[in-house]
Amino acid sequence: KSNKKTSQKKERKGKKSKEKKSESLDDSTLDSITKLLAKGENVDDYPSDADELEVKEEPREPVVSKEGIQISIDLPDKARRKKKKGFDVAAFLKRELARARRETQVLLHQSHFLCLVAHLRYLNLVMTDETLYGGALSIIPPAHTSSPKDLTLARLTALVRWFREFIPMNKSSSADASPSAPFRVRLMRVLETYLAMDLMEWVAIFVLVCRALGLDTRIVLNFDVCPLKPPNEELPKPLLQPKEEEKNIKKENEKPPKSKKQPKKRKGSDSEGEEEEFEAKSAAKKRSSKSLSSKLSEASSRKSSETLSTKLSELSKRKSSRKSKSSGKADREEEIIENINKKYPTQKEVKVEDDKQGKSRKRKSEEVGESSKSRSKSSKASKSVARSVNYWAEVYLERERKWICVDLETGRINAPSEVESRLPKPIFYILAINNMGNIKDVTKRYASNFMTTTRKIRYDEKWISATLSKFQQNKDDKESKEDLEMEKKTEEAPMPTTVSGFKNHPLYVLQRHLLKFEAIYPADAPPLGWMKSEPVYARECVHTLQGRTSWLKEGRVVRIKEEPYKIVKARPKWDRMTGTMVKDEPLEVFGHWQTELYVPPPAVDGKVPRNEYGNVELFKPWMLPKGCVHIPINGMSRVLRKLNIDAAPAMIGWDFSGGGCHPMYDGYVVCEEFADTVMDAWNQEQEMKVERAAEKREKRALDNWRRMVKGLFTRERIQAKYMKNQESSA
């Protein structure tokens, strides 16, 4: 064996030596060939092998440009950072100001409503005074004293006619009278003088008279509150705009010289002449408009003065006619008016007295000028608001079993449409308060366009009902019947005459106003009418459509072989795989009539059926799998793992907080045969948990006591060892 090994080694060495020799021969032959070629080309200085090696060993510097190297790599869409948009401070401030204005306007609307409710309750509280009841009862003649059961429309009209003649309203002084006295004092003054100074006193005395007769009477108030939306007032201009204003002023200053060159332009073409004529006409129109406005203001001031003079003349005529009829009554009225003027002087009389005391003429002229300006400004508004009414009464007739409105200014009875025509527009709320202090919203009785305009400008009905519920008692048959009558009146209202009136209307709908997930079913529903060649459908025909997943959340599934009733664009969805927002995907939606109740699969061999995520979708009670039990206790996973029982978490819905969608869980779903064992194990676990907590608490208390006792012992030991020397030295 050793000889064989040595022989093999020798063979290997011989092979290696032969290879080296062959390599050396190859190198020598190559060198000789290169030398021969160099001599043939007359090249003397041919580099040797050493020089070649030196040249090869020299390091080469990399060729790099002065600007450097730039390498760009395309990243996926998910890894790219989105460029932040610049923050627009002016737009942000504008949005915040608009939001603050809207919020403050809503608060003003609510506070105004509550203040008027308090005002109505105050009026009713004052009218419960027994002294006022006695005074009202003393002026009623025996002919008008009738029981509530015998009261009819004819007797009520006779009572209203007598009241309007016996206690008139002094309309001439209603604008100048200052109601600074308390309301009770004012009512006592009316009962003493038989003359009401304004509409509120007049209606209050009539309500007192009716309540003194035992009639169920309400005082009704029109709530002319501030609107919900803020007025379209321009916000203050930014600070950079004065430069623009200066430019505009310069342009306006540059315009007059152009007008001087107009005669030269007449020599030009016809078009230039036409332009000049148009400019001249526009300037003349402006001047005429200014002159017309000044003339209108002068005419309005004249009309206001004429109306005052006509009122005074009417008063004098009434006094003269009354004197001719009966001298005794006229003397009594003149004495009453003189006494009232002495006790409660008007603003005109105060001004006359001040003038007599020696006021300057300049002040008089300023006051006259201000009054004429205010009258000229309010002349147009006075035509529409002068006849407006905010107070009236309602009397309940037991024979008719309905509330009858009484308008004292016109003397009309049971005419809510006439009362509506004289109300200031728009109508927001109309509330009434009865003898017991119960407040009732009767807007539907007096607002004929409640469904179209009034309903949209009011605040949330839930807030209104919650506010008024504190001033209401349990409903009786009278109130329920009244509610039915008002609902019937609103339903019998005519169809809107404009396209905007159909929007969000509770009774009618147009095809153009349907939302994305709304549709009319059946498709061949008969139209109730037409609006500009567009069919009008009943609101009952409008149904809400949903997708398959949305119907599953409602505990329903789409029937097999049901075609979608409508195909819409799905809501934008974030795709996590691509990192992009997916938009404009088609979504098949179905109606309620195309679905059926969800039937879950039953439990088999102790295994709870679950979805692909390992949960049981329990959005509705009937979605519980057959043979399973829902245990609404969270934190049972440890007990279930110990028992090795199959269970699945019960998903009851979705939580959309935190900028995402998260599932909500409530306990676990287990098979019926394991429910008792799971509950027993859970109860034992809870008992053991309580025991462990008690042991831990006891141990902590003992450790604290032990630490305190050891500290006391060490303190005594230190005092015994080191404090003796101090005591002896002392």
Side-chain angles (χ1 to χ4, degrees):
K1 289 181 180 178
S2 62
N3 293 329
K4 286 181 180 180
K5 289 180 179 179
T6 54
S7 62
Q8 288 176 357
K9 287 179 181 180
K10 287 178 180 180
E11 288 177 359
R12 289 173 184 172
K13 287 179 181 179
K15 287 179 180 179
K16 288 179 180 180
S17 62
K18 287 178 182 179
E19 289 176 356
K20 286 180 181 179
K21 286 178 181 179
S22 62
E23 287 176 359
S24 63
L25 288 170
D26 295 335
D27 295 337
S28 62
T29 53
L30 288 169
D31 292 338
S32 61
I33 291 166
T34 52
K35 287 176 181 178
L36 288 170
L37 290 170
K39 286 179 180 180
E41 293 177 0
N42 297 322
V43 178
D44 296 333
D45 297 332
Y46 186 79
S48 62
D49 296 337
D51 296 335
E52 287 179 358
L53 291 170
E54 287 177 2
V55 171
K56 288 179 182 177
E57 288 176 359
E58 287 179 0
R60 293 183 179 181
E61 294 180 359
V63 180
V64 182
S65 64
K66 293 180 180 180
E67 295 177 357
I69 299 170
Q70 185 177 359
I71 301 169
S72 59
I73 301 169
D74 291 335
L75 295 173
D77 295 335
K78 190 176 180 181
R80 288 180 183 175
R81 290 184 178 179
K82 295 180 180 178
K83 293 182 179 179
K84 293 183 178 179
K85 294 181 180 179
F87 183 69
D88 193 353
V89 180
F92 172 74
L93 291 174
K94 191 175 181 181
R95 288 195 301 270
E96 291 296 317
L97 283 171
R99 183 180 60 81
R101 285 183 67 201
R102 288 194 298 270
E103 290 177 357
T104 51
Q105 190 69 20
V106 170
L107 291 174
L108 282 172
H109 183 87
Q110 292 177 335
S111 58
H112 198 175
F113 178 84
L114 294 174
C115 289
L116 289 174
V117 169
H119 170 66
L120 191 62
R121 294 187 71 239
Y122 169 73
L123 296 181
N124 189 70
L125 182 65
V126 171
M127 286 188 290
T128 56
D129 191 1
E130 294 182 357
T131 307
L132 294 174
Y133 270 124
L137 189 61
S138 63
I139 63 174
I140 303 172
H144 296 289
T145 55
S146 59
S147 62
K149 293 181 180 180
D150 299 333
L151 187 65
T152 58
L153 279 172
R155 291 185 176 180
L156 183 60
T157 52
L159 179 64
V160 172
R161 194 181 298 114
W162 164 80
F163 180 81
R164 293 179 75 246
E165 291 177 357
F166 187 72
I167 303 179
M169 185 177 70
N170 192 6
K171 295 181 181 179
S172 60
S173 62
S174 59
D176 296 328
S178 57
S180 58
F183 188 59
R184 184 180 178 280
V185 176
R186 293 165 63 187
L187 293 182
M188 291 295 294
R189 184 190 64 194
V190 173
L191 291 174
E192 291 174 0
T193 59
Y194 305 113
L195 183 67
M197 304 304 293
D198 58 1
L199 183 62
M200 184 174 66
E201 296 177 3
W202 208 21
V203 173
I205 293 296
F206 178 76
V207 171
L208 277 172
V209 168
C210 293
R211 288 182 181 179
L213 291 172
L215 304 177
D216 194 358
T217 313
R218 289 173 174 170
I219 181 169
V220 189
L221 175 62
N222 174 36
F223 283 23
D224 193 8
V225 297
C226 58
L228 270 174
K229 293 182 180 179
N232 295 325
E233 295 177 358
E234 292 184 358
L235 292 172
K237 296 181 180 179
L239 296 173
L240 298 174
Q241 283 193 0
K243 294 181 180 179
E244 297 179 359
E245 292 178 359
E246 289 177 2
K247 291 179 181 178
N248 295 330
I249 291 165
K250 288 179 181 178
K251 288 180 181 178
E252 290 176 357
N253 294 331
E254 290 174 359
K255 282 181 182 179
K258 291 181 182 179
S259 62
K260 293 178 182 178
K261 296 177 183 179
Q262 282 180 2
K264 294 181 181 179
K265 287 184 180 179
R266 288 181 184 176
K267 297 178 182 179
S269 60
D270 297 334
S271 62
E272 291 178 356
E274 289 173 0
E275 288 175 0
E276 289 170 0
E277 288 176 3
F278 178 76
E279 289 176 359
K281 287 180 181 179
S282 62
K285 283 181 181 178
K286 287 180 182 177
R287 290 171 186 171
S288 62
S289 64
K290 288 180 182 178
S291 60
L292 282 170
S293 61
S294 60
K295 287 177 182 178
L296 286 170
S297 62
E298 290 174 2
S300 61
S301 60
R302 287 174 186 172
K303 285 181 181 178
S304 59
S305 60
E306 286 174 3
T307 52
L308 288 170
S309 60
T310 51
K311 285 181 180 179
L312 292 169
S313 62
E314 285 176 2
L315 279 172
S316 61
K317 286 179 182 179
R318 286 178 186 174
K319 288 179 181 179
S320 61
S321 62
R322 286 176 184 174
K323 283 181 181 179
S324 62
K325 287 181 181 178
S326 58
S327 60
K329 189 183 285 186
D331 295 334
R332 186 171 62 84
E333 286 184 358
E334 286 178 357
E335 289 175 1
I336 289 166
I337 292 168
E338 287 176 1
N339 293 329
I340 291 168
N341 292 331
K342 287 178 182 178
K343 289 183 180 179
Y344 308 97
T346 59
Q347 291 178 359
K348 290 182 179 179
E349 292 174 356
V350 172
K351 286 180 183 179
V352 171
E353 289 176 1
D354 292 338
D355 293 334
K356 286 180 180 179
Q357 288 175 3
K359 280 198 171 184
S360 64
R361 292 181 181 179
K362 291 182 181 179
R363 197 165 184 180
K364 278 176 75 179
S365 62
E366 287 175 0
E367 289 175 358
V368 171
E370 288 175 0
S371 63
S372 63
K373 285 180 183 178
S374 62
R375 285 170 186 170
S376 63
K377 287 180 181 178
S378 62
S379 60
K380 293 182 180 179
S382 62
K383 290 179 181 178
S384 59
V385 184
R387 295 184 178 181
S388 63
V389 59
N390 284 323
Y391 297 90
W392 65 95
E394 284 184 350
V395 181
Y396 184 75
L397 297 183
E398 293 187 2
R399 285 193 175 184
E400 302 287 336
R401 291 186 179 180
K402 61 185 296 188
W403 289 92
I404 306 298
C405 67
V406 178
D407 187 5
L408 290 177
E409 280 198 334
T410 59
R412 296 296 299 274
I413 293 172
N414 199 15
S417 58
E418 290 190 6
V419 174
E420 180 188 1
S421 64
R422 296 173 57 240
L423 288 175
K425 303 297 184 296
I427 300 172
F428 292 93
Y429 312 94
I430 298 174
L431 270 63
I433 187 166
N434 64 356
N435 306 13
M436 304 301 294
N438 297 332
I439 298 176
K440 180 74 176 176
D441 186 5
V442 293
T443 313
K444 294 179 181 179
R445 181 178 294 148
Y446 298 97
S448 58
N449 55 354
F450 181 84
M451 291 291 189
T452 54
T453 58
T454 305
R455 184 177 55 87
K456 295 177 183 178
I457 60 176
R458 286 160 61 102
Y459 194 61
D460 187 15
E461 294 295 332
K462 292 182 180 178
W463 181 84
I464 296 168
S465 59
T467 304
L468 297 180
S469 63
K470 299 174 183 178
F471 313 110
Q472 292 175 350
Q473 295 179 356
N474 296 329
K475 283 188 177 182
D476 52 0
D477 296 336
K478 188 191 298 184
E479 288 192 6
S480 58
K481 189 178 179 182
E482 184 184 9
D483 293 338
L484 289 173
E485 287 178 358
M486 287 193 289
E487 289 292 337
K488 188 178 179 182
K489 184 180 178 181
T490 53
E491 290 175 0
E492 290 175 353
M495 196 179 292
T497 56
T498 58
V499 176
S500 60
F502 285 96
K503 195 169 185 179
N504 296 328
H505 198 280
L507 300 177
Y508 310 105
V509 66
L510 294 175
Q511 189 81 26
R512 68 171 77 180
H513 293 151
L514 292 177
L515 300 178
K516 183 179 179 180
F517 292 95
E518 287 182 348
I520 292 173
Y521 179 78
D524 56 349
L528 301 179
W530 299 86
M531 180 63 193
K532 295 181 181 179
S533 70
E534 187 175 358
V536 179
Y537 298 98
R539 180 62 70 173
E540 298 172 354
C541 298
V542 179
H543 296 268
T544 304
L545 309 178
Q546 296 182 17
R548 298 179 189 272
T549 55
S550 299
W551 278 121
L552 186 61
K553 292 175 185 177
E554 299 292 331
R556 304 184 71 85
V557 290
V558 180
R559 294 196 191 99
I560 302 171
K561 296 182 180 180
E562 281 285 349
E563 294 184 359
Y565 196 76
K566 191 178 177 182
I567 297 175
V568 299
K569 289 182 181 180
R571 296 185 179 95
K573 188 178 180 182
W574 180 259
D575 190 1
R576 293 183 179 178
M577 298 297 293
T578 60
T580 56
M581 187 70 73
V582 181
K583 298 179 180 179
D584 299 339
E585 280 195 349
L587 177 65
E588 297 179 347
V589 290
F590 303 86
H592 187 274
W593 61 94
Q594 295 176 298
T595 61
E596 60 186 2
L597 289 175
Y598 172 74
V599 180
V604 180
D605 298 333
K607 297 291 183 181
V608 179
R610 59 197 78 190
N611 59 6
E612 61 271 19
Y613 299 102
N615 306 322
V616 176
E617 293 171 342
L618 201 62
F619 302 120
K620 300 293 178 181
W622 60 82
M623 296 181 73
L624 184 68
K626 192 175 182 180
C628 296
V629 178
H630 177 219
I631 302 174
I633 300 173
N634 294 319
M636 296 182 70
S637 57
R638 186 166 176 270
V639 176
L640 293 168
R641 281 198 302 271
K642 279 184 180 180
L643 297 173
N644 196 16
I645 293 174
D646 184 66
M651 189 178 71
I652 59 171
W654 296 91
D655 182 21
F656 296 94
S657 63
C661 183
H662 314 286
M664 296 170 61
Y665 299 102
D666 185 21
Y668 293 85
V669 176
V670 298
C671 295
E672 289 179 347
E673 55 268 22
F674 303 124
D676 295 335
T677 56
V678 169
M679 290 304 299
D680 292 339
W682 170 256
N683 292 330
Q684 289 178 4
E685 181 72 18
Q686 294 301 310
E687 290 175 0
M688 291 172 64
K689 191 175 180 180
V690 172
E691 289 177 0
R692 285 197 297 271
E695 289 176 359
K696 188 176 180 181
R697 183 172 176 274
E698 186 178 355
K699 184 182 177 183
R700 188 173 67 251
L702 291 173
D703 290 341
N704 292 335
W705 278 107
R706 191 180 292 109
R707 194 180 296 111
M708 188 181 71
V709 170
K710 282 183 179 179
L712 291 173
F713 277 127
T714 54
R715 181 171 175 274
E716 291 292 331
R717 195 182 302 115
I718 290 167
Q719 284 182 352
K721 188 174 181 180
Y722 297 103
M723 298 296 287
K724 285 183 179 180
N725 297 331
Q726 292 181 2
E727 290 176 359
S728 62
S729 64

